Amino acid sequence: MIKDLIMPYFVVAGNKQRQKIDSMPGIYRLSADNLLLELAELTELGIDNILLFGLPKRKDENGSEAYAKDGVVQNAVRAIKKSFPKLIVMTDVCLCAYTTDGHCRAGNTLEALVKIARSHAEAGADYVAPSAMMKGQVRAIREALGNKVKILAYSAKFASGFYGPFREAAKSAPAFGERRAYQLDYQRSDEALERIAVEIKEGADIVMIKPALAYLDIIFQAKQKFNFTIAAYNVSGEYAMLYGNKGMILESLSAIKRAGADLIITYFSKEVGQWTKDLHRQKNI
Ligand code: PBG
C-alpha cells in the first residue's frame, strides 16, 4: 500500500512558513525550506510520490504566476529535486489558485496550461497533472512537450461538494459562479468513462478519478474497461470526514484499492506510512 500513495502538499512563497489550515487539521501550507524538512520525514517512511499545489505571491486576471520561471511551485520543484532526486514529483497544472476570480480558466486556457506544464517540467517535475477539465489538455501538453514529462490526467473530475476544505487550503474558491460548467455531473457515469477513454488516447500516463469514495463504481468500471493505470484522489472533504479515525481511514483506502485504483492521492499518506512503520517495529520486537 505505501508505495501506491501520493502525498499532496500546499507550497507558499517565503521562508519558515507553516500555516495552519482550519478546514484540514494536520495539514499545513509550507514554504520550500519547511517542505524539505517535511520530505525528509516522508521519504524516511517509504513514501515515494508527492503532488504539489502552489499558492502564488500575487494573483492576477490571467493567473500569470502559474507559469513564472521562478514561481512558487517551480522554485520548490528545483529545491526538492536537488535534495531528493529519487522522489517522484507531480505538480498540479491549473489556474484557479492563481487567478483573481478563482476560476480554472482564463484567456487561452490550453495555451496557459501548456506554459505551466512546460515551466514545471523544466524545473524537474516528473509528472504534470492538468486539472482544469479542459478538453484537449492532455494532447496539447503531449504535443508541446513530447516525452519530456509524464502526464497524470485529472480525467474524471466531478463537480463535488467534497472539495470544500481544499478551496480554503489553496485559497482558490471561485469569487462567483461555480465549476459545474466544466466539472462532471455526478448523476452521470458515461461522461466520465468517455473522458478517460479520450485522455488515454491523447497520451496520458495515468488517469485520475476524483473524488474517490463516492465514486468507487467509476474507479471499478474504468479499471475493468481500460485496464490502464488508475489513480484515485481521496479529496479534502473525505479527509475532513475521516480525520482522526484510523479504522475508518484504513478501511476507506482499502476500498479504493479494492475498486481498482493503482495509486491513491491522499492527505493520509504520511500517517499511513507512520502506522506501517510502527507495525514493523512491533513485529521486530
Ligand atoms: C483545482 C483542484 C481542486 C482540487 C484539486 N485540484 C479543487 C477544485 O476543483 O475546486 C481538490 C482537491 C481536494 O479537495 O483535496 N484545480
Side-chain angles (χ1 to χ4, degrees):
M1 167 90 99
I2 286 293
K3 296 293 173 203
D4 306 331
L5 301 179
I6 302 170
M7 178 73 185
Y9 284 106
F10 300 100
V11 197
V12 293
N15 271 308
K16 305 239 175 321
Q17 295 295 312
R18 184 178 167 85
Q19 307 170 357
K20 239 178 140 172
I21 302 163
D22 290 334
S23 57
M24 299 182 73
I27 304 292
Y28 299 84
R29 298 186 201 98
L30 301 171
S31 50
D33 54 340
N34 275 342
L35 180 57
L36 292 180
L37 297 177
E38 164 73 24
L39 293 178
E41 295 178 19
L42 190 82
T43 48
E44 187 60 34
L45 295 170
I47 312 272
D48 294 333
N49 311 290
I50 62 169
L51 173 62
L52 297 181
F53 293 94
L55 285 88
K57 266 184 273 173
R58 222 170 298 109
K59 303 189 190 220
D60 63 29
E61 210 177 300
N62 296 316
S64 58
E65 216 176 301
Y67 42 82
K69 245 198 162 84
D70 62 347
V72 62
V73 168
Q74 292 82 351
N75 286 344
V77 171
R78 276 187 292 267
I80 292 166
K81 276 290 169 181
K82 211 187 254 173
S83 300
F84 303 95
K86 279 195 267 168
L87 187 68
I88 305 291
V89 179
M90 309 179 174
T91 55
D92 188 75
V93 171
C94 201
L95 286 165
C96 55
Y98 298 86
T99 46
T100 24
D101 68 10
H103 278 282
C104 305
R105 300 174 171 194
N108 186 337
T109 304
L110 267 188
E111 206 172 89
L113 294 178
V114 168
K115 279 203 263 184
I116 301 170
R118 177 177 287 123
S119 68
H120 290 179
E122 281 171 358
D126 298 284
Y127 283 82
V128 291
S131 73
M133 284 301 281
M134 192 70 195
K135 284 199 174 144
Q137 58 184 8
V138 172
R139 183 190 306 122
I141 293 173
R142 186 58 84 209
E143 275 175 6
L145 301 183
N147 289 326
K148 282 198 203 100
V149 72
K150 292 190 175 138
I151 302 176
L152 164 65
Y154 282 75
S155 304
K157 179 172 175 180
F158 288 89
S160 170
F162 285 97
Y163 306 148
F166 174 93
R167 292 180 184 177
E168 187 208 324
K171 299 187 181 165
S172 66
F176 59 85
E178 296 190 47
R179 295 207 226 281
R180 276 187 212 296
Y182 38 92
Q183 298 183 349
L184 303 175
D185 176 356
Y186 58 70
Q187 310 265 24
R188 299 181 49 184
S189 51
D190 51 344
E191 215 181 335
L193 293 166
E194 273 163 35
R195 288 294 194 103
I196 292 170
V198 167
E199 294 201 333
I200 290 175
K201 218 182 275 159
E202 288 186 5
D205 294 281
I206 303 173
V207 289
M208 189 209 298
I209 291 157
K210 172 182 167 196
L213 287 175
Y215 299 88
L216 296 177
D217 57 325
I218 309 288
I219 298 172
F220 179 77
Q221 288 185 68
K223 189 65 193 178
Q224 298 294 311
K225 192 164 175 169
F226 303 113
N227 193 25
F228 199 74
T229 309
I230 309 265
Y233 198 144
N234 177 225
V235 300
S236 58
E238 302 171 32
Y239 175 80
M241 204 165 63
L242 301 171
Y243 181 76
N245 191 316
K246 182 177 174 182
M248 278 161 50
I249 293 165
L250 293 177
E251 185 177 339
S252 299
L253 296 179
S254 297
I256 297 168
K257 285 246 63 166
R258 195 181 61 228
D262 299 284
L263 299 158
I264 307 178
I265 302 163
T266 176
Y267 304 95
F268 291 120
S269 298
K270 189 180 175 195
E271 230 176 335
V272 174
Q274 192 61 54
W275 294 333
T276 309
K277 191 176 170 188
D278 293 346
L279 205 69
H280 286 308
R281 204 181 283 140
Q282 281 164 14
K283 274 192 200 145
N284 290 336
I285 290 173

